[in-house]
Amino acid sequence: ATEDMESVAPGQPFVDPALEGLERSLIARAFLSLPERWQAVLWHTEIEGAKPAEVGPLLGMKANSVAALAYRAREGLRQAYLQMHLAGGAAPQACRPTIDLLGAYVRGGLAKRESGRVDTHMDGCGHCREVYAELMDVNVGLRGIVLPLFAGSGAAGYLAAGPGAVGGAGWNRMS
């Protein structure tokens, strides 16, 4: 027996192909649910890695406007991704209005009035509290999900390299 298994068998991280396929489907559906302009800015800035100044002429915008739009689009993608985790779930009819808001609620993207309604509903609804807890877990792991799903499993090195990695800086903003 050895105390250091890493020296004997360094191991490979397990990637479940079924889960990876589901996650790819969720992120693709979330991306496609965004307004066309948000899709375009995310494609150019996050996927192609173009700077706002380069994307501006393509979208007929100034660089600062592109940066602001990209910021809103990234947050919209996060919220849509979380919401896709709930699609097709069998929620009671009384819970549907709350469930429809949970993706934005988890990300702090609701107005005060809407947040209050969600809070009030969840105070008396165990089902919605469970769904909320699940979405909070998904939200915590969002950074490690979005880049590999768009760019493939080879992108994990970018995440491991940190914010200074080439091409990785934009993706670190996705969490």
Side-chain angles (χ1 to χ4, degrees):
T2 180
E3 292 181 21
D4 184 14
M5 287 302 292
E6 287 291 318
S7 65
V8 177
Q12 297 293 326
F14 175 73
V15 177
D16 184 348
L19 182 59
E20 190 175 74
L22 172 66
E23 295 295 340
R24 284 183 189 276
S25 171
L26 291 174
I27 193 67
R29 287 186 3 225
F31 181 78
L32 292 173
S33 76
L34 297 176
E36 187 175 324
R37 197 164 182 87
W38 285 11
Q39 290 178 22
V41 77
L42 285 174
W43 185 264
H44 291 299
T45 60
E46 300 298 333
I47 305 301
E48 293 180 349
K51 303 276 187 224
E54 299 166 336
V55 177
L58 296 173
L59 299 178
M61 302 171 70
K62 294 183 180 180
N64 286 344
S65 297
V66 170
L69 180 64
Y71 177 84
R72 289 191 308 275
R74 282 190 301 273
E75 182 57 31
L77 179 60
R78 291 180 198 111
Q79 291 178 16
Y81 176 78
L82 290 174
Q83 202 62 42
M84 288 300 153
H85 277 271
L86 305 176
Q93 189 65 30
C95 296
R96 292 190 191 273
T98 299
I99 296 291
D100 290 344
L101 298 174
L102 280 181
Y105 180 81
V106 165
R107 296 291 308 170
L110 291 180
K112 197 174 205 177
R113 177 185 237 173
E114 290 173 317
S115 289
R117 278 188 279 185
V118 171
D119 288 336
T120 300
H121 177 83
M122 284 199 305
D123 285 344
C125 181
H127 171 75
C128 287
R129 283 193 306 270
E130 287 178 25
V131 171
Y132 170 73
E134 178 185 329
L135 279 186
M136 287 298 289
D137 286 343
V138 172
N139 186 49
V140 168
L142 204 54
R143 176 185 290 177
I145 293 171
V146 175
L147 173 60
L149 290 177
F150 262 121
S153 58
Y158 285 121
L159 289 175
V166 176
W171 286 102
N172 288 330
R173 295 179 301 215
M174 290 302 291
S175 63

